Amino acid sequence: MAGKYKKYDRIFKENVVLLSYKKNSIKEFADELGIYPHYITKWRKEYAKFGNGSFCGSGHARVHPDSRKIFELEKTSRESELKFEILQNASPHLNQGKLIIYQFIKKNEKKYSIAQMCRVLGIGNGRYIRWKYNGVSEKQRQIALLKQEIISIFFSFKKHYGRNKITKELHMRGFKISQQHVSFYMKQLGLRHIKKRKFKATTDSNHNHYTAPNVLNREFRVNDYSKVWVSDITYLQTKKGFLYLTIIMDLYDRKIIGWNLGSRLSTNKTTLSAWEMAVTNRKALNGLVFHSDRGVQYANKAFTRKLNSHKCIRSMSRKGDHLDNAVSESFFSSLKREMIDQKNNLISKKQMKLEIFDFIENWYNKKRIHTALDNKTIEQFNAINN
């Protein structure tokens, strides 16, 4: 009699089944072959159900040949669905390096097979197993930590920071890393900052009012508060018409000290309103240079009288030369890139006012780092210099 654990191949089983139907007694035939009778009975049932698809061995599905095509199609469909499910669940981690992907695989071992996940995610099965049981090197841990920090900075600053500013921020957090390495890791992580784009300003310089000479002459760095203020106006499109944003910036610390957002371009609703906020927030000292373009909102008598009452020195850009007021233009460019361009659809005027307040008062004046301030925030710059 055969041993208890003896294995029989597919051809042997199939021949036994076919011959068994020619024998008078299954028991006698089993004794003749040296196997248990119930083996023949079991094999005959399987062959009756699956025909040539029987006896495939462990790990292989038994399928009747007539149903093989449908079975293969269903199997392919299930595998595609599983692949999609794994990719969908792993997608937030795909650009974060192999260590993060390894951690994803380990976390989901009870849900999917290791081989399936490694195959779908392009990870060597052996490498994953070695990582699982041997751990990760200190260098890999440091790189993973650094990448997490880069991701945190990138999204904390609303995708506005490129490699230079991220590098500066990392230095402030205690990391020693070059711009080239930051750029390399950003490419690995698929992080691309929102690029600058020109922002169209709207002021009317076709008027008969007096225009001042360009006293500032592009000297955009000053050594104290209230030496030079610059100003400009631009429009913002909403669901229902335009809003007009007027800003006044102190060149010393680049802070927006006065601003106004309204639906009209009158002097009262633009320059005068922004001026009143500016002098409330920061004293206008005698001899303050106030620079703007030649727009009628700056050149008219009402605003001229206001500047004269504070003994300001008027300065205006040369005709058609927007670089004479480059700092104001730069602010509007940042506003466009960092706030407006991120909106998929136009927003209401009410929502725009809330967004502008948040951008100027909470982001630009407090959290954003400025290259002109040696990559510091306005608050950090003022804390060091005062």
Side-chain angles (χ1 to χ4, degrees):
M1 188 66 66
K4 186 177 180 180
Y5 299 102
K6 187 174 180 180
K7 293 184 179 180
Y8 305 96
D9 62 27
R10 184 180 64 82
I11 295 175
F12 175 82
K13 293 177 181 178
E14 188 173 339
N15 287 332
V16 167
V17 170
L18 295 175
L19 287 172
S20 70
Y21 291 110
K22 299 178 181 181
K23 301 292 182 177
N24 294 324
S25 169
I26 289 179
K27 184 178 184 307
E28 291 178 359
F29 185 42
D31 290 341
E32 181 183 334
L33 295 173
I35 62 175
Y36 294 112
H38 73 268
Y39 282 5
I40 298 176
T41 304
K42 183 177 71 171
W43 294 345
R44 285 174 68 166
K45 287 181 180 179
E46 183 173 335
Y47 193 80
K49 185 175 182 180
F50 299 108
N52 293 334
S54 306
F55 319 129
C56 296
S58 61
H60 297 277
R62 294 188 293 270
V63 182
H64 195 279
D66 295 342
S67 305
R68 172 62 63 178
K69 190 172 182 179
I70 295 174
F71 172 79
E72 294 295 342
L73 289 172
E74 291 176 344
K75 180 182 177 183
T76 302
S77 176
R78 287 194 300 272
E79 289 175 348
S80 297
E81 289 175 359
L82 182 62
K83 180 179 179 180
F84 176 76
E85 184 179 330
I86 292 172
L87 283 172
Q88 187 178 43
N89 292 336
S91 59
H93 315 290
L94 293 179
N95 292 322
Q96 298 181 25
K98 287 186 178 179
L99 178 59
I100 305 301
I101 297 177
Y102 287 161
Q103 291 171 347
F104 169 83
I105 294 174
K106 185 175 181 181
K107 183 179 179 181
N108 289 276
E109 282 184 2
K110 293 182 179 179
K111 190 173 183 180
Y112 313 109
S113 77
I114 293 174
Q116 285 174 324
M117 289 188 284
C118 288
R119 184 168 57 253
V120 171
L121 300 176
I123 296 296
N125 196 23
R127 290 184 179 181
Y128 168 72
I129 297 299
R130 284 194 295 274
W131 170 84
K132 181 180 177 181
Y133 292 105
N134 299 330
V136 64
S137 69
E138 183 60 29
K139 183 177 180 181
Q140 288 176 313
R141 286 194 187 92
Q142 291 175 355
I143 292 174
L145 176 63
L146 183 60
K147 286 183 177 180
Q148 287 295 327
E149 206 69 23
I150 290 173
I151 292 170
S152 173
I153 294 169
F154 183 77
F155 287 104
S156 293
F157 292 97
K158 304 177 182 179
K159 304 180 184 180
H160 309 146
Y161 281 12
R163 68 167 192 177
N164 295 352
K165 288 187 176 181
I166 288 180
T167 303
K168 293 290 184 182
E169 186 69 24
L170 286 169
H171 289 170
M172 287 191 285
R173 296 185 184 191
F175 290 88
K176 293 182 179 179
I177 187 171
S178 67
Q179 292 178 355
Q180 289 74 19
H181 275 93
V182 171
S183 180
F184 174 75
Y185 291 136
M186 287 182 71
K187 286 180 181 178
Q188 278 193 337
L189 296 166
L191 304 179
R192 300 179 68 180
H193 75 289
I194 301 169
K195 294 184 177 180
K196 290 185 177 181
R197 187 174 153 189
K198 289 186 178 180
F199 199 93
K200 183 179 177 181
T202 175
T203 50
D204 180 12
S205 58
N206 295 319
H207 54 75
N208 296 320
H209 297 290
Y210 170 75
T211 54
N214 183 15
V215 175
L216 182 59
N217 197 30
R218 301 188 187 178
E219 293 292 334
F220 298 128
R221 290 190 177 273
V222 296
N223 57 13
D224 206 351
Y225 299 109
S226 296
K227 292 278 189 177
V228 181
W229 292 357
V230 296
S231 181
D232 205 352
I233 303 171
T234 197
Y235 73 90
L236 306 172
Q237 189 173 1
T238 69
K239 284 182 177 179
K240 295 184 179 180
F242 294 98
L243 290 174
Y244 301 96
L245 176 63
T246 307
I247 59 101
I248 297 176
M249 176 193 294
D250 191 323
L251 275 188
Y252 174 66
D253 59 0
R254 303 303 168 99
K255 185 173 185 178
I256 304 301
I257 55 174
W259 61 276
N260 187 72
L261 185 66
S263 55
R264 292 162 53 192
L265 273 172
S266 65
T267 303
N268 284 334
K269 298 297 182 180
T270 55
T271 52
L272 283 174
S273 295
W275 174 267
E276 293 304 325
M277 179 188 287
V279 295
T280 299
N281 290 331
R282 189 166 290 183
K283 186 177 181 180
L285 303 177
N286 291 345
L288 165 69
V289 174
F290 186 89
H291 183 83
S292 67
D293 61 22
R294 296 178 169 219
V296 65
Q297 292 89 350
Y298 296 103
N300 66 74
K301 292 181 179 179
F303 191 68
T304 298
R305 283 196 297 268
K306 182 63 69 174
L307 294 181
N308 290 340
S309 69
H310 286 82
K311 299 182 180 179
C312 296
I313 299 172
R314 297 171 66 192
S315 175
M316 291 184 174
S317 301
R318 287 163 289 194
K319 189 172 183 179
D321 197 336
H322 67 279
L323 294 178
D324 286 345
N325 200 12
V327 178
S328 295
E329 296 277 351
S330 177
F331 169 80
F332 288 138
S333 177
S334 297
L335 174 71
K336 177 70 173 179
R337 183 177 73 256
E338 299 172 14
M339 191 195 92
I340 306 297
D341 278 352
Q342 295 191 57
K343 309 296 178 187
N344 294 324
N345 300 301
L346 294 177
I347 59 178
S348 67
K349 289 185 176 182
K350 181 179 180 181
Q351 183 63 30
M352 180 65 79
K353 290 177 180 179
L354 293 173
E355 296 275 355
I356 291 296
F357 177 89
D358 184 62
F359 180 86
I360 293 177
E361 300 296 349
N362 297 326
W363 165 248
Y364 194 87
N365 281 350
K366 292 182 179 179
K367 297 179 181 179
R368 189 183 190 274
I369 65 173
H370 300 264
T371 53
L373 305 180
D374 194 24
N375 291 295
K376 295 179 178 61
T377 67
I378 291 173
E379 292 182 345
Q380 290 170 338
F381 176 81
N382 287 330
I384 293 172
N385 292 280
N386 294 291

